[in-house]
Amino acid sequence: MRVAIVGATGAVGKELLKVLEERNFPLDELKLYASPRSAGRTVTFRGEPLTVEVTPEGPVPADIVLASAGGGVSKKLAPLWSSEGAVVVDNSSAWRYDPEVPLVIPEINPEAVRRHRGIIANPNCTTAILAVALWPLHRAFGATNVVVSTYQATSGAGAEGMQELLDETRNYLEGKPVGHKVFQHPIAFNVIPHIDAFQDNAYTREEMKVVWETRKIFDEPDMKISCTAVRIPTLRAHSEAATVLFEKPVTPEAARAVLEKSPGVEVVDEPAANRYPMPLTATGKWNVEVGRIRQNLAFENALDFFVSGDQLLKGAALNAVQIAELLL
């Protein structure tokens, strides 16, 4: 079993290495690729040093390619990487909306990997974190309308976004001018309701990704979904507040019972003990935390709940490795 990581020195690439090692993925050979700027670096995997090479512009000598190199690179090169039999699990947005490319969350639609033609898409991190919690409730009670507001960590903008939060927070506390390069406005002590480019319908592309991808993964093209995506000054793990209307009557107790049996979910829902999902507790976890489950006061057959999940794990690297495990 030969595995390659494209984008091995980025934030997601580093997590891919950790997840492969922690899950004891059965590989015999691991190749690491990145941009020419990062080529030549040495990375340790299972106690052995590996040298990072320049990303190939042709076939990759591997059985599985875990790619996190950005949409432009993947759109151009993924068909070439897979041209001699490799299966590319792509973490960018390049292939998610192609009807011929399966978009997979293993807890939800594992059978979709069988339809691949050399490329499998990993969903957007925001979609993945919501979907893992929403899917079992949808199966049990039939979700019809979903309204979600997200609280997204700077890790969603990569290592540079996390560093900008640290640098500008330090500047603020030291009384220095606070600037911004990665984000549209200063992120320190601020929230920014703008992630990705605005679309013609006044939603951002990040918000529309949740709509498009959830419908595709669930195979529910008419599900009504609305999203507001907000960047917040945390380092890691995205959180989301969801209001969901269902076809069938539903109670918080029934929802908890379903979620407690669901893969990829950890119910953290003890308000009296101040236990609920938070980025601080969700960071580093493979499961998505779900809590604050309560009856919605405005609609019949509706629930409110809150989720937190590690954007770099279930939102990216972990999901990609789980897809690779399905391929095995």
Side-chain angles (χ1 to χ4, degrees):
M1 172 55 59
R2 302 167 301 162
V3 175
I5 298 176
V6 177
T9 58
V12 175
K14 292 175 182 176
E15 294 299 324
L16 284 166
L17 282 162
K18 291 180 184 177
V19 174
L20 287 170
E21 189 159 352
E22 290 173 5
R23 293 176 75 88
N24 196 28
F25 188 88
L27 59 84
D28 301 297
E29 180 183 346
L30 179 62
K31 302 281 284 186
L32 304 181
Y33 299 107
S35 66
R37 181 181 59 189
S38 299
R41 292 189 192 179
T42 299
V43 175
T44 300
F45 179 75
R46 293 179 179 170
E48 299 293 329
L50 299 175
T51 301
V52 178
E53 303 174 41
V54 176
T55 299
E57 296 194 14
V60 171
D63 300 296
I64 297 173
V65 178
L66 304 174
S68 186
V73 174
S74 286
K75 192 68 175 178
K76 175 184 176 184
L77 297 181
L80 300 177
W81 297 334
S82 65
S83 60
E84 291 188 0
V87 180
V88 177
V89 181
D90 185 55
N91 195 56
S92 78
S93 61
W95 299 98
R96 292 173 186 156
Y97 315 117
D98 187 320
E100 301 300 320
V101 175
L103 179 64
V104 176
I105 296 177
E107 292 90 345
I108 298 173
N109 60 337
E111 70 287 345
V113 300
R114 299 182 184 277
R115 295 189 290 102
H116 81 79
R117 299 181 180 181
I119 301 172
I120 299 171
N122 218 31
N124 176 263
C125 50
T126 316
T127 304
I129 290 164
L130 173 67
V132 169
L134 179 60
W135 173 248
L137 297 175
H138 175 54
R139 288 188 68 190
F141 309 108
T144 59
N145 300 67
V146 180
V147 179
V148 59
S149 296
T150 75
Y151 308 83
Q152 295 182 222
T154 54
S155 56
E160 296 85 357
M162 299 167 76
Q163 192 61 47
E164 181 160 299
L165 172 62
L166 294 172
D167 293 342
E168 300 308 327
T169 300
R170 188 177 298 110
N171 288 339
Y172 182 93
L173 295 174
E174 293 177 356
K176 299 177 181 178
V178 177
H180 60 96
K181 293 181 180 178
V182 177
F183 304 109
Q184 298 86 355
H185 301 277
I187 187 63
F189 302 98
N190 192 21
V191 297
I192 305 171
H194 179 185
I195 302 176
D196 212 328
F198 280 98
Q199 308 294 289
D200 290 342
N201 63 357
Y203 284 77
T204 66
R205 185 169 173 80
E206 180 77 6
E207 292 160 350
M208 292 309 301
K209 287 175 184 177
V210 175
V211 179
W212 298 328
E213 295 175 22
T214 304
R215 287 172 172 172
K216 182 174 179 179
I217 295 164
F218 284 18
D219 194 21
E220 294 282 3
D222 299 320
M223 181 177 278
K224 295 179 174 63
I225 306 170
S226 183
C227 177
T228 300
V230 182
R231 186 76 69 193
I232 66 171
T234 56
L235 281 174
R236 185 162 165 169
H238 292 349
S239 300
E240 307 180 41
T243 296
V244 185
L245 281 64
F246 296 95
E247 293 175 349
K248 301 176 183 177
V250 58
T251 64
E253 294 74 22
R256 285 189 200 96
V258 168
L259 290 168
E260 284 170 351
K261 300 175 183 177
S262 301
V265 171
E266 178 184 349
V267 176
V268 182
D269 196 20
E270 299 179 66
N274 298 329
R275 293 190 69 247
Y276 26 70
M278 296 185 296
L280 279 177
T281 50
T283 294
K285 284 185 178 178
W286 289 350
N287 287 345
V288 171
E289 294 185 347
V290 185
R292 296 296 318 278
I293 304 166
R294 60 204 187 277
Q295 208 82 46
N296 181 272
L297 299 179
F299 303 104
E300 295 291 326
N301 298 336
L303 293 176
D304 294 321
F305 59 87
F306 194 75
V307 300
S308 289
D310 194 308
Q311 176 267 335
L312 295 173
L313 289 175
K314 188 55 194 172
L318 173 62
N319 199 76
V321 173
Q322 288 176 303
I323 291 172
E325 291 169 346
L326 285 177
L327 289 169
L328 294 181

